Amino acid sequence: MIQVSSDESSDAGQYVLSGSQNFLLLKRIKQSLAGRVGILRLLPLSYAEACGSSIPPSVDEFMYRGGYPRLYDVRIPTTVFFRSYVDTYVQRDVSDYLDVRNLADFHRFLGLCALNAGNLVNYAGIARDSGIDSRTAKAWFSILESSYIVFPLMPYYRNEGKRLTKRPKLYFYDTGLLCYLLNITSLEELLVSPHLGAVFENLIVAETLKRWLNEDKEPRLYFYRDDSKIEVDLIDLTDASNPQMAEIKSSQTYRDGFARHLRPVGDFIGIPNDQRFVITRESASYHAHTANVVCAKDWLMR
């Protein structure tokens, strides 16, 4: 019906097809609409968007609360919102699409994904701990990607073909959901949690991704890791004329050691000195003699 109507008229924007779950929407459209549609990804609010609410959150508050609009519309307690969100997502949407018979296994799988946020994806390990096989773990992970729950961050290699053979890192689109799955029930608990570093890193990477998607640009984001254990958390090559890289630290105090890998990796990739950053939870940005130190708020409000 939609395909026929579209072919009969050259007018753009005849229909808006929306759905809370991308994979369910595509599953229920029986015809191919290739060349006839434009797909927009509406992710949870960015920090800059959340700051437009009646009570703008601090970066730490946003990191704990996340960006789902309903949380800022009617101020629902986060635990209540995410409990209902996960139950609805699992019991209605995912179980219907994947025919998940053991919901407890899928809940456990979600929790293990949260525990692995910021780490290399290990399908075998997550499958083993979830009580499922690797093929099922890969299928479930694919569904989490398709429904904008998680996304992979690929490793940087000059030979782009190698990126397809190396393991990505796992991140969540929303740190509020991530905190819920980690059983973190308050901001105070998050700030003393051993997971703070992973959640903060997830925040910076996810918000950088949102920034480009909200500008309708395809993000080209990577991390760097080599056999010498040299690592950099985030490499942003989306704007080819202005490549950037950043180390992400949840500390509120900068230390020179945070920047130790920026110089060799930046020289190797060809990123200018003034575009090498260390992102922290400090209150202001400044230039240290070893790096440009950027407070999280300045990075998120770009």
Side-chain angles (χ1 to χ4, degrees):
M1 169 63 183
I2 294 175
Q3 179 176 329
V4 172
S5 179
S6 174
D7 290 344
E8 289 176 347
S9 172
S10 60
D11 294 335
Q14 299 176 58
Y15 299 95
V16 176
L17 307 179
S18 66
S20 60
Q21 301 298 350
N22 176 58
F23 54 87
L24 289 176
L25 179 65
L26 295 178
K27 177 185 178 183
R28 291 166 182 167
I29 297 176
K30 303 303 182 183
Q31 295 173 310
S32 170
L33 299 178
R36 302 174 178 85
V37 298
I39 297 177
L40 301 177
R41 288 172 279 188
L42 302 180
L43 301 178
L45 298 175
S46 67
Y47 175 70
E49 290 171 323
C51 283
S53 65
S54 58
I55 306 177
S58 68
V59 171
D60 284 349
E61 289 169 340
F62 181 78
M63 178 169 54
Y64 167 68
R65 195 170 184 83
Y68 283 95
R70 194 67 172 166
L71 292 168
Y72 297 90
D73 183 23
V74 295
R75 313 299 292 187
I76 300 174
T78 55
T79 53
V80 173
F81 174 83
F82 285 116
R83 185 187 309 119
S84 300
Y85 179 85
V86 170
D87 286 347
T88 301
Y89 171 75
V90 171
Q91 294 176 7
R92 184 194 66 190
D93 297 333
V94 172
S95 60
D96 176 60
Y97 188 81
L98 279 181
D99 192 24
V100 176
R101 292 179 172 81
N102 192 334
L103 296 180
D105 284 348
F106 194 82
H107 272 287
R108 191 179 305 113
F109 175 79
L110 276 175
L112 287 166
C113 285
L115 288 171
N116 281 274
N119 294 322
L120 296 177
V121 177
N122 183 348
Y123 293 112
I126 293 176
R128 180 187 63 249
D129 295 339
S130 300
I132 58 178
D133 58 49
S134 294
R135 176 182 293 183
T136 300
K138 290 180 180 180
W140 287 2
F141 188 79
S142 177
I143 281 298
L144 294 184
E145 284 190 68
S146 298
S147 53
Y148 301 110
I149 300 296
V150 303
F151 64 92
L153 184 69
M154 302 304 295
Y156 173 84
Y157 284 94
R158 280 186 170 173
N159 180 348
E160 294 191 9
K162 288 187 176 181
R163 295 178 193 153
L164 302 178
T165 65
K166 301 296 183 178
R167 287 191 294 164
K169 283 187 175 183
L170 166 66
Y171 291 98
F172 279 70
Y173 279 101
D174 188 80
T175 53
L177 176 59
L178 174 58
C179 286
Y180 172 78
L181 293 172
L182 290 171
N183 296 314
I184 296 172
T185 60
S186 70
L187 174 57
E188 292 74 21
E189 188 177 334
L190 171 61
L191 296 181
V192 297
S193 169
H195 300 299
L196 174 61
V199 176
F200 182 69
E201 179 181 322
N202 197 126
L203 173 73
I204 298 301
V205 173
E207 288 295 295
T208 305
L209 181 79
K210 286 183 197 174
R211 173 198 175 197
W212 292 119
L213 290 176
N214 289 344
E215 292 185 16
D216 196 26
K217 295 180 180 178
E218 191 64 32
R220 295 180 61 216
L221 306 180
Y222 310 97
F223 71 93
Y224 181 92
R225 175 180 293 181
D226 64 22
D227 295 337
S228 302
K229 307 299 183 183
I230 293 177
E231 301 182 31
V232 173
D233 295 322
L234 181 62
I235 297 172
D236 186 350
L237 304 181
T238 309
D239 182 352
S241 65
N242 187 36
Q244 299 181 332
M245 62 189 304
E247 274 288 273
I248 305 167
K249 302 296 181 181
S250 61
S251 173
Q252 292 180 302
T253 304
Y254 173 75
R255 295 195 293 272
D256 288 342
F258 292 166
R260 67 186 183 279
H261 292 162
L262 291 181
R263 182 173 182 177
V265 177
D267 291 348
F268 172 69
I269 297 176
I271 295 180
N273 287 328
D274 62 351
Q275 297 302 313
R276 305 173 188 179
F277 305 99
V278 174
I279 305 170
T280 72
R281 291 176 52 244
E282 295 186 69
S283 59
S285 301
Y286 57 92
H287 178 71
H289 72 279
T290 54
N292 298 303
V293 182
V294 181
C295 70
K297 184 173 182 179
D298 286 349
W299 185 269
L300 301 186
M301 293 296 289
R302 295 181 305 164

